[in-house]
Each structure stands twice: as structure tokens, then as C-alpha cells.
Amino acid sequence: MAKKGQPKNTKNKAKHSKLMQQKKNKLKAEKILRKERLKAIVKKSQEEQSKNE
């Protein structure tokens, strides 16, 4: 027998989707930032090694 009244999982679905997208975007941005920092550190260390040689 079908439920009467408001359908399940539609009340906060848009809010939940928005929050999950924010979370994914934040994690992606942090990942990119971390890669950039590591690249900068590696580049700096390579420059220092080339100066010492």
C-alpha cells in the first residue's frame, strides 16, 4: 500500500545535495592546494641542490 501524504526524501534533498557539493568542492580545493605546495617545495629543493653543485 502506498504512503499517503508527503513523499519520502524530498523535504531536505536539495539542501543535502548543496551541502554535499560544498564538501566535495572543499576537498578538491584542498587537494589542489596541497599539490601546488608540494610542487613549490620540490622546485625550491631542486634549485638549492643545483646551487650547491
Side-chain angles (χ1 to χ4, degrees), residues 2-10:
K3 285 182 70 177
K4 293 182 181 178
Q6 189 168 4
K8 187 177 178 184
N9 280 341
T10 57

Side-chain angles (χ1 to χ4, degrees), residues 38-49:
L38 286 173
K39 283 182 184 179
I41 291 170
V42 169
K43 188 175 181 180
K44 186 176 180 182
S45 67
Q46 287 176 348
E47 288 175 358
E48 288 178 2
Q49 285 180 351

Side-chain angles (χ1 to χ4, degrees), residues 29-41:
E30 288 175 356
K31 190 175 181 181
I32 292 170
L33 185 63
R34 182 181 174 100
K35 276 187 178 182
E36 289 175 358
R37 286 182 180 160
L38 286 173
K39 283 182 184 179
I41 291 170

